[in-house]
Amino acid sequence: MLASSGKLDRRELTAALLADRGELAVIAGLGAPAWDITAVGDHPLNLPLWGAMGGAAMIGLGLALAQPSRPVLVLTGDGEMLMGIGALATIAVKAPKNLSIIVQDNEHYGETGMQETATRHGVDLVTMAKGAGFQRTMFVTKPDEVPALRAAIHSGDGPFFAVAKIDAASKKLVLPPRDGSIIQNRMREAILGPSAHHQL
Amino acid sequence: MDADAIDKAPDATASWPDQIYDLLKKHGIRQVCLVPDAGHSRLIKRCLADNEIVVTTLTTEEEGIALMQGAWLGGDKAILLMQSSGVGNCINMLSLSQIHRCPMPMLVTMRGDFGEFNPAQVPMGEATQPVLEAMGTVVRRADTPEDIAATVDATIRMAFNTFRPTATLIGQRVIGAKTFGKD
């Protein structure tokens, strides 16, 4: 799972996190996390975002509060998480047990020319999450830590926040469906059944 | 409400905050997200006292747009309460509603509107309706107490029946502009 840089391979990490996913619903932040969850297998319980930078964690919160018995994972990048960093405070206060946020941190804005993010310069998202009030956090750099990271997503003992340092190399683009109404409604139907489309 | 506060709350005898609460119940609103606001203070208290409503206090209003998306994905109806100045924080995030065709009703109390004393409130107060409309939001104003319930009802119905962002702007004329005793 290590790239030649000695850091985790983002796509292998994503595949490991989503293996045997069960009822897990996944919100993927725009850019590489959205391509990653699609590359490891498009799924009705995936909501890959094409935009709304900074919003992924809060979408996860709204979903986790609506479906408290279903595990919800927000998988996003360091740039996206930094843009909506206040959400960590909002989420920690609501403390949904079924919500996990994992930041795949390559210390760069990968979609716009690999400019460095703040995490490249010492900003520590795990410490920020702890400061916001997250009781359960992880900082992952090695493959042998990934099984525990995956287990945390399904533990129902959240809210959980983790940073996984990943190799910065970009991967082959694997694009999710582009019509947002399709990806929304297929997730709603997967969660709520056919009645999702008849709700008044 | 602190009588010396800069922001104004509805008069204690006003019935419209309770009418809005009744509408939230009638429409089965399960999640209410908000940035605290004097105009909505009584409604917020009623929501907080209701165990069937999940209230999320946000650090910035755009979080509420994203939260409404997630709530809808999970089958919950949600609504966002804010002040006009918070609308500016929502603009890019409102793209979620158009992309995903997601109901996003908003109740906005106006500042920088009728008789405003604070220069800092005026730019966003003037821009609130145009920028919401620029992002595809159906906007209706309520400028008298009697208009509020019907307008909020329409705003909630239109959001959930037609899958789009909608907003009721509650005019400052209803709540009153602070005068600092200079009447």
Side-chain angles (χ1 to χ4, degrees):
Chain A
M1 201 180 288
L2 288 177
S4 56
S5 64
K7 290 188 174 177
L8 293 166
D9 179 286
R10 62 177 314 133
R11 213 151 270 181
E12 291 180 39
L13 172 64
T14 303
L17 294 175
L18 299 187
D20 302 321
R21 61 189 282 171
E23 297 294 299
L24 182 70
V26 182
I27 310 295
L30 79 169
W35 325 146
D36 289 341
I37 64 165
T38 307
V40 305
D42 195 24
H43 195 286
L45 289 169
N46 281 358
L47 190 95
L49 289 163
W50 283 88
M53 188 166 178
M58 286 301 300
I59 296 174
L61 176 63
L63 176 54
L65 292 173
Q67 292 287 323
S69 61
R70 175 185 296 271
V72 175
L73 170 65
V74 173
L75 187 68
T76 193
D78 43 310
E80 204 275 347
M81 191 70 243
L82 285 162
M83 186 171 279
I85 200 71
L88 293 180
T90 305
I91 291 165
V93 170
K94 293 307 290 180
K97 289 188 175 304
N98 56 327
L99 179 61
S100 301
I101 301 165
I102 296 179
V103 177
Q104 293 187 321
D105 181 6
N106 68 357
E107 304 182 348
H108 292 81
Y109 293 100
E111 302 300 310
T112 54
M114 293 301 284
Q115 300 86 355
E116 295 173 350
T117 63
T119 62
R120 179 74 179 149
H121 300 278
V123 170
D124 178 351
L125 290 169
V126 171
T127 299
M128 293 178 87
K130 285 180 179 169
F134 278 76
Q135 303 292 315
R136 294 186 62 245
T137 61
M138 278 182 76
F139 180 74
V140 172
T141 58
K142 300 185 187 71
D144 62 10
E145 297 165 323
V146 173
L149 184 62
R150 185 196 168 283
I153 298 168
H154 293 276
S155 70
D157 191 26
F160 172 72
F161 180 89
V163 167
K165 288 286 185 180
I166 57 163
D167 181 58
S170 60
K171 295 282 184 179
K172 183 173 183 292
L173 273 179
V174 181
L175 299 182
R178 258 193 301 190
D179 186 334
S181 68
I182 287 176
I183 56 176
Q184 170 176 269
N185 282 310
R186 72 180 189 173
M187 181 183 269
R188 293 189 83 239
E189 186 168 311
I191 292 172
L192 303 166
S195 69
H197 312 303
H198 298 276
Q199 187 169 336
L200 293 175
Chain B
M1 186 67 193
D2 178 355
D4 293 325
I6 289 175
D7 214 347
K8 277 201 76 167
D11 187 273
T13 59
S15 58
W16 60 266
D18 299 321
Q19 291 168 358
I20 295 177
Y21 173 79
D22 292 341
L23 285 166
L24 301 187
K25 299 303 288 180
K26 173 184 149 191
H27 287 291
I29 302 293
R30 158 114 172 108
Q31 294 197 40
V32 173
C33 53
L34 56 95
V35 172
D37 164 58
H40 282 312
S41 56
R42 193 149 103 228
L43 175 60
I44 291 169
K45 272 184 199 156
R46 293 211 61 189
C47 292
L48 285 168
D50 186 333
N51 290 331
E52 292 176 355
I53 293 178
V54 178
V55 178
T56 301
T57 301
L58 312 164
T59 67
T60 177
E61 291 81 357
E62 71 173 323
E63 291 176 1
I65 302 297
L67 182 140
M68 287 194 283
Q69 169 75 27
W72 182 244
L73 282 167
D76 271 2
K77 290 180 174 177
I79 197 166
L80 171 58
L81 312 182
M82 62 182 153
Q83 198 176 76
S84 47
S85 46
V87 168
N89 297 343
C90 296
I91 298 308
N92 177 51
M93 204 60 75
L94 274 168
S95 63
L96 278 173
S97 185
Q98 296 212 35
I99 296 164
H100 295 283
R101 291 189 36 74
C102 179
M104 291 185 178
M106 294 167 264
L107 304 184
V108 181
T109 59
M110 292 302 296
R111 291 289 309 265
D113 189 34
F114 194 85
E116 177 64 55
F117 83 96
N118 181 351
Q121 291 283 0
V122 176
M124 196 61 233
E126 287 290 298
T128 293
Q129 183 159 353
V131 296
L132 279 172
E133 289 176 341
M135 288 306 292
T137 306
V138 176
V139 180
R140 297 291 180 264
R141 287 192 63 111
D143 284 304
T144 65
E146 296 75 26
D147 264 356
I148 292 175
T151 311
V152 170
D153 190 35
T155 287
I156 295 173
R157 282 176 190 278
M158 203 162 175
F160 292 106
N161 287 333
T162 75
F163 315 107
R164 69 188 71 244
T166 63
T168 291
L169 309 187
I170 299 171
Q172 199 161 7
R173 197 166 191 174
V174 175
I175 302 165
K178 191 98 175 160
T179 64
F180 290 91
K182 291 188 175 134
D183 297 344

